[in-house]
Structure formats: C-alpha cells, structure tokens
Amino acid sequence: MARVHNFNAGPAALPLSVLEAAQKEFVDFQGTGMSLLEHSHRGKDYDAVHQQAIALMRELLAVPDDYQILFLQGGASQQFAVIPMNLLPADKSADYVVTGAWSQKAFGEAKNVGKVRLAASTEDNKAFTRLPTRDEIKVDPSAAYLHFTSNETIHGVEFKDWYPETGSVPLVCDMSSDFMWRKFDVKRFDLIYAGAQKNIGPAGVTVVIARKSLIEKGRTDIPKIFRYSTHAGENSMYNTCPTFGIYIIRNVMQWIKDSGGLDQIETWNREKAKLTYDFLDAHASYFRAPVAKDARSVMNIVFRLPSEQHEEKLIKEAKAAGFVGLKGHRSVGGIRISAYNAVSVDSVKQLLAFLDKFEKANP
Ligand SMILES: Cc1ncc(COP(=O)(O)O)c(C=O)c1O
C-alpha cells in the first residue's frame, strides 16, 4: 500500500494506526454484528465511545470541571454565528481581533447577528503577515466578549507565546487549526472552538470547550438547537450526534495518549516547524516566507517561490513524488505546508530534501 505524505490543510492527515483500527472493526464493531455507523447513538455501545472521547480529551488537556466539552455539528463556520447568538445581548457589543481570513470571516458573520467592534486588525495592505502587539489590541471593557483566532490557517500566523489580555471580558478563541498541537491552559479562555478536521479527527465534528457559567448565561431567545445550554444539558446528545466522527476523535485521543501525551506531540510539532523554517531561512533568496518570525505558525507554514510558474511546477512535481496538499489557499496562492499532529517528522524531512533538489534543478 502506498500512502502519500499528506500536507493537506484540512481535512488533513490522520494517524495510520487510527485508520487501521477503524478499518478492522468497520463492519463488525466489537463483536456486535454491525458497524458503529449502524449503532444507535442512544445505545450502550456508542455511549461508551462518546464518554471515552470526552474523558480522554479532558484528561489530555486537563480541562477543569467547571468547563464543558461539547461535540457539535455545522463546522467552525457555524460557530461564527452561534457564538454571538448565544453571547451577544442586544444592548452590548463584541470585540474582534482580525489577523487573517478566518478571523475576518468570524467578524463578518457576527455583524449579521449583533453589534461588533474591531479591537485590532493586522490587515496592513491585505497582507496579514504579523500579529498585533499587545498594545494594539484595544479591548472595550464593557464588551460581551473578545474573539480571536489563535492560528490563521490561510495566512500562517499564530499566537504561540501569548494571548490577548482582556481582564474581565470573556475570551473566545477559534482554535480550529492549532487545537491540541500542545497542552495549553484552558482556564485562560472562556470559550474555545475547533473544527476537528485538522488535528484531531474527521470533518463533521466541531469541539466547543466552554466555561459552564458562560453557557448558563447564554441567551434563551434563540432557537433551542443553537443554544449551548441545550447541548450542554444533554452531553452533546440533544439530537443525533456525529457518532462516527466522535469515534475517530476518541481513537485519535487514545493515539495521543499512547504516543506520550501532548508534551510528546508538541516536541514533534516544534521539531517539524524548526526544520522547515530553518530550511526556508537558509534558502531565503529562493523560498520567501512572508510572516514575521514571532508570528510564524507551527501548523501552517506558508511561503513563495521566485514566480508562480515555479510554484505550479513544484506542486505538480511534488505530487508525482508523493507529497500532496502543498498548494496555498486559492485566495493567497503560494505554497503551504500543513504539518498537523499526524504528519511525521520523517515526512517533513523527506519533503525538505525534495524542496532542496527542486531549487537546484529550477533556478
Ligand atoms: C481557523 C479556521 N476557522 C474556521 C474554519 C472553518 O471551518 P469549517 O470548514 O469547519 O466551518 C477553518 C477551516 O479551515 C479554519 O481553518
């Protein structure tokens, strides 16, 4: 079997052992005579999987008891609307930090729901190649919450060393593309959300981790299906939950645990990013990495070649050599290496050797 080196931005690489385990019990789940896909979400077989997925995530991230973990549908994009629907009362405004395409989308969608305000933007010349400084973030002390995106998947900009300080204003974070790349202090946040399809599972599940007190304060004048309190009250089983996706998440959580936990995952992720950025810096006249060094993403590494023709050729030849998913997002072009948790250090080393050869052959 020939598996490629998968650098897709999401849906993205999953650990081979997770896929193989799912394959092994795909038709007959643990001797029940049917696939997990065919099980009721209310049955005891699925319920065990559901509880384990939540318990493992809680353990790996040390999620405190006063936070709830939810598995929802609709993608991170649905959260762009659901967050203000729940947390933004009519007489208040919400703050947004815009550092790239995704936080800009979140800001735009929130405008459709209520009053919002820009607390900071790094859209300088539409480039989004840096983080704001701490001082540039002007928090409205009466804001309903402040929203930011910890990793901009398209622009390759990440908050790694610090998060916005908001005092008593609740901090809300889109962590879709850097969720669980390492351990982090959940208590720094009031609500975190992430599409599963980058670091922890397949498309179709959105994780929300929120302070229970914030969920309880959520608006009740919105449809029941969009209230966090509805899903929290039913442990994410208010309606039919995405069972198979949650099962894969459970298996990825177990894989993280068996690999040595999030500290080991972080070590691998930092090694992949260091190898790549060191390579790019050593070849800077050919591979141009536009993002400011202190804002460089560990997960999504973006760069340009001398011309678009070089980029097209690279993507084509890389694919033929077994390296897929390197095309930058269609809105920005260029090359993007997404090196999520399941991408091995060895895959990155092999890709860098390929880039080195490509440069020599294509001056
Ligand atoms: C940071 C970030 N936020 C939100 C989204 C949107 O996620 P979804 O497609 O699950 O709605 C993405 C998708 O790539 C993303 O990278």
Side-chain angles (χ1 to χ4, degrees):
M1 176 185 55
R3 295 262 303 162
V4 294
H5 300 282
N6 183 351
F7 298 97
N8 276 331
L14 285 166
L16 180 59
S17 61
V18 167
L19 298 176
E20 286 174 341
Q23 182 184 45
K24 209 166 147 213
E25 57 188 11
F26 186 72
V27 173
D28 180 7
F29 180 69
Q30 293 177 357
T32 57
M34 56 178 157
S35 173
L36 185 75
L37 288 168
E38 302 168 293
H39 271 269
S40 164
H41 63 299
R42 308 273 176 209
K44 72 171 177 21
D45 296 296
Y46 172 71
D47 191 62
V49 170
H50 194 88
Q51 305 304 340
Q52 284 161 5
I54 294 168
L56 281 164
M57 188 176 287
R58 193 175 279 285
E59 178 187 335
L60 290 165
L61 281 173
V63 177
D65 287 345
D66 56 336
Y67 282 75
Q68 181 114 20
I69 298 174
L70 302 175
F71 293 137
L72 306 178
Q73 301 191 54
S77 302
Q78 184 160 300
Q79 293 303 310
F80 294 168
V82 168
I83 287 163
M85 284 167 76
N86 277 268
L87 305 182
L88 181 53
D91 60 347
K92 283 210 166 202
S93 144
D95 272 2
Y96 278 74
V97 175
V98 172
T99 50
W102 288 112
S103 47
Q104 198 164 47
K105 275 203 165 173
F107 180 53
E109 185 72 323
K111 276 186 205 164
N112 292 323
V113 178
K115 223 166 99 196
V116 289
R117 199 187 71 103
L118 206 54
S121 167
T122 55
E123 198 182 0
D124 328 286
N125 305 318
K126 294 211 178 306
F128 290 123
T129 52
R130 66 182 186 95
L131 289 173
T133 62
R134 288 167 202 257
D135 291 346
E136 272 179 280
I137 302 177
K138 307 283 185 219
V139 184
D140 167 4
S142 64
Y145 60 84
L146 180 134
H147 177 285
F148 79 110
T149 302
S150 53
N151 184 60
E152 289 285 355
T153 323
I154 293 174
H155 289 90
V157 171
E158 184 177 20
F159 284 86
K160 291 188 302 294
D161 304 318
W162 60 281
Y163 298 124
E165 292 290 345
T166 55
S168 60
V169 173
L171 187 61
V172 172
C173 181
D174 177 358
M175 267 194 201
S176 290
S177 51
D178 66 349
F179 183 59
M180 294 189 88
W181 78 271
R182 63 168 172 193
K183 221 181 253 161
F184 62 92
D185 183 9
V186 174
K187 290 194 296 299
R188 265 299 265 116
F189 302 87
D190 295 272
L191 187 147
I192 297 152
Y193 64 104
Q197 67 270 20
K198 284 100 163 52
N199 264 342
I200 63 153
V205 187
T206 312
V207 176
V208 171
I209 303 179
R211 219 182 263 283
K212 287 178 181 166
S213 57
L214 190 74
I215 292 175
E216 283 157 16
K217 276 190 288 191
R219 292 177 69 154
T220 50
D221 57 346
I222 58 172
K224 208 170 169 189
I225 187 73
F226 295 129
R227 295 179 208 162
Y228 288 126
S229 56
T230 302
H231 298 285
E234 304 280 346
N235 199 21
S236 304
M237 289 223 216
Y238 167 68
N239 62 332
T240 314
C241 54
T243 52
F244 198 75
I246 294 169
Y247 158 74
I248 297 290
I249 290 177
R250 192 272 313 252
N251 293 358
V252 173
M253 295 299 109
Q254 191 62 51
W255 170 78
I256 292 174
K257 190 171 171 177
D258 295 345
S259 301
L262 283 170
D263 290 342
Q264 181 58 60
I265 297 291
E266 175 176 358
T267 301
W268 285 328
N269 283 330
R270 286 197 187 273
E271 186 179 352
K272 288 180 283 180
K274 180 167 174 14
L275 284 169
T276 308
Y277 285 116
D278 283 353
F279 172 85
L280 296 177
D281 289 343
H283 299 247
S285 59
Y286 192 81
F287 297 107
R288 208 162 24 85
V291 175
K293 285 194 179 169
D294 66 347
R296 285 173 162 182
S297 170
V298 169
M299 298 278 99
N300 309 101
I301 299 168
V302 297
F303 55 95
R304 305 300 309 233
L305 264 63
S307 72
E308 284 184 15
Q309 289 72 31
H310 283 82
E311 290 167 355
E312 271 167 38
K313 190 159 190 262
L314 175 99
I315 290 159
K316 199 163 153 228
E317 291 183 11
K319 190 166 180 210
F323 304 100
V324 307
L326 295 170
K327 196 169 165 37
H329 190 268
R330 59 188 184 282
S331 62
V332 293
I335 308 292
R336 168 172 55 178
I337 299 174
S338 296
Y340 295 122
N341 288 354
V343 174
S344 70
V345 174
D346 184 58
S347 278
V348 169
K349 283 184 180 164
Q350 290 195 44
L351 174 64
L352 298 179
F354 170 84
L355 293 182
D356 192 39
K357 267 205 285 192
F358 183 88
E359 179 188 2
K360 292 194 174 95
N362 299 276

